[in-house]
Amino acid sequence: MRHIPGAWQRTARGAGLLAPDGSSVPTIFAEMSALATATGALNLGQGFPDEDGPEAVLDAARAAISSGINQYAPGRGFPDLLAAVAEHQQRFYGIELDPQREVLITVGATEALAATLLALVDSPDDEVVVFEPYYDSYAACVALSGATLVPVPLRWPDFQPDLERLASAVTDRTRVILVNDPHNPTGTVFSREVLHEVVRLAHRHDAIIVTDEVYEHLVFDGPHVPIATLPGADERTLSISSGGKTFSLTGWKTGWVTGPADLVSAVLAVKQYLTYVGGSPFQPAIAVGLRLPDAFFASVASEMAAKAALLGTGLRAAGFDVSSPAGSYFTVVDASPLGATDADAFCRELPARAGVVGIPLTAFVTPEHRSDYATLVRFAACKRVEVLQDAAGRLAGMTLE
Ligand SMILES: *Cc1c(COP(=O)(O)O)cnc(C)c1O
């Protein structure tokens, strides 16, 4: 085993990136995807669609390559995409942005999150409040930035945070309140009350709100309400999104950050040394996507709602307790009616028992809190209808232990 010296090893271990013996840990997503391939099970684990996004967007990327958009983009992004993001925020939410100063194009929402956290926090005294379970990169980025993660639990079955618990987690040490709405992995959409409380607490303790809204167009009973549109929020909110989930183009890794010019510049200062810029031909294509007619965006939401309903029917037939997602790609179930006591072990057996793959919710929590989520499993509905019908059938005929 090669010894990796110094602070990086500590932070990486803290973030769960390294095992105690120093080896790197394959993520549960990689492990479960490999299990799906090995067993022929349907992969409802990792959240990527199994069909490509709109033809007009695909064509625009091909045209961009043919027309020579193949060298570095400007650091903030091509002006046309900056303008398209600003138009999108105005069109859907009434948010006015200066495209040159208040928008930044990133390599997916992932880079936007990493650059934002690295820009805003840097010592163990800096606290980042997150809702737990959380998207796995949050804890890793907080650890890599050297700050302290302060999780606020979301509990089965509605996964709305307790407001008192939230209020006690936010203090004058809180630099960032990190929101993800609609929420991965739970499929919840935060209530207005929760969003208002986040804004109130951010004001009271002078914290910055960072909001990851990659599922903004996958709210089943819309419209989506960005936290930045609440009174008093815009001056201290950085909003992050990406074309990956909206356009079923997760491999394109084209995202953006919007918000006050000084905060966006701080993110740019870090981002320019992470990747400098992303893939140029994707930028004009995502601009085409953002300008698609309303009917496209409405169909994205209604199709995903129908898929979640189909998946839910299969999961109920299998005997799971099923939560009701309000958005995103995901549905969470409680597997205890099927005898599960340890979702990790249950998910490892599931391909053989049911021919489908899910992800234990313990993959999205800090190690000390795993027991609070020990029987919960996340399934992804972002697959073709035929695949979901097949999965529902397999689940309904699931073999009992
Ligand atoms: C998929 C996802 C991301 C990553 O988005 P990219 O644009 O692929 O980097 C970020 N946050 C959440 C909650 C996600 O589900």
Side-chain angles (χ1 to χ4, degrees), residues 339-378:
T341 52
D342 171 354
D344 284 41
F346 181 83
C347 286
R348 289 196 174 90
E349 290 165 10
L350 198 59
R353 285 177 68 186
V356 302
V357 167
I359 302 283
L361 236 64
T362 48
F364 305 93
V365 307
T366 41
E368 313 84 83
H369 299 154
R370 291 171 69 96
S371 61
D372 295 334
Y373 300 89
T375 61
L376 303 182
V377 179
R378 186 195 80 173

Side-chain angles (χ1 to χ4, degrees), residues 58-70 280-282 284:
L58 303 177
D59 283 344
R62 292 185 194 104
I65 291 175
S66 304
S67 68
I69 303 180
N70 299 305
S280 290
F282 300 125

Side-chain angles (χ1 to χ4, degrees), residues 114-133:
T116 299
L117 289 167
L118 289 167
L120 299 181
V121 294
D122 54 25
S123 91
D125 298 330
D126 292 343
E127 296 187 350
V128 179
V129 171
V130 297
F131 296 102
E132 183 179 64

Side-chain angles (χ1 to χ4, degrees), residues 74-234:
R76 281 180 186 260
F78 284 114
D80 186 54
L81 179 56
L82 298 174
V85 170
E87 283 164 33
H88 171 277
Q89 296 305 94
Q90 158 63 39
R91 168 179 161 200
F92 287 98
Y93 311 125
I95 297 174
E96 297 286 348
L97 295 167
D98 174 347
Q100 288 302 322
R101 299 169 63 242
E102 297 176 322
V103 183
L104 171 65
I105 305 306
T106 57
V107 181
T110 306
E111 189 200 28
L113 284 157
T116 299
L117 289 167
L118 289 167
L120 299 181
V121 294
D122 54 25
S123 91
D125 298 330
D126 292 343
E127 296 187 350
V128 179
V129 171
V130 297
F131 296 102
E132 183 179 64
Y134 44 72
Y135 186 62
D136 57 347
S137 83
Y138 297 179
C141 288
V142 170
L144 291 170
S145 70
T148 300
L149 190 78
V150 179
V152 173
L154 304 178
R155 294 273 191 254
W156 169 273
D158 69 340
F159 299 110
Q160 298 287 334
D162 177 70
L163 295 185
E164 279 172 27
R165 201 78 198 245
L166 172 60
S168 64
V170 181
T171 70
D172 289 345
R173 288 186 303 281
T174 306
R175 303 293 301 131
V176 170
I177 305 175
L178 179 48
V179 177
N180 172 209
D181 185 39
H183 186 258
N184 176 7
T186 67
T188 204
V189 167
F190 288 126
S191 70
R192 283 294 174 104
E193 257 186 304
V194 168
L195 298 181
H196 277 289
E197 183 64 359
V198 168
V199 176
R200 188 184 72 82
L201 292 166
H203 267 272
R204 172 183 249 188
H205 298 285
D206 198 21
I208 292 168
I209 299 165
V210 176
T211 179
D212 173 351
E213 301 186 5
V214 298
Y215 298 103
E216 62 187 316
H217 289 292
L218 294 165
V219 175
F220 303 156
D221 206 358
H224 169 62
V225 179
I227 194 167
T229 61
L230 268 60
D234 64 334

Side-chain angles (χ1 to χ4, degrees), residues 239-259:
S239 302
I240 291 172
S241 193
S242 150
K245 308 294 160 65
T246 298
F247 303 116
S248 297
L249 295 167
T250 59
W252 283 22
K253 301 296 292 186
T254 302
W256 47 91
V257 187
T258 58

Side-chain angles (χ1 to χ4, degrees), residues 26-44:
T27 68
I28 187 87
F29 304 99
E31 187 188 337
M32 290 297 158
S33 290
L35 201 55
T37 309
T39 59
L42 301 173
N43 190 355
L44 308 184

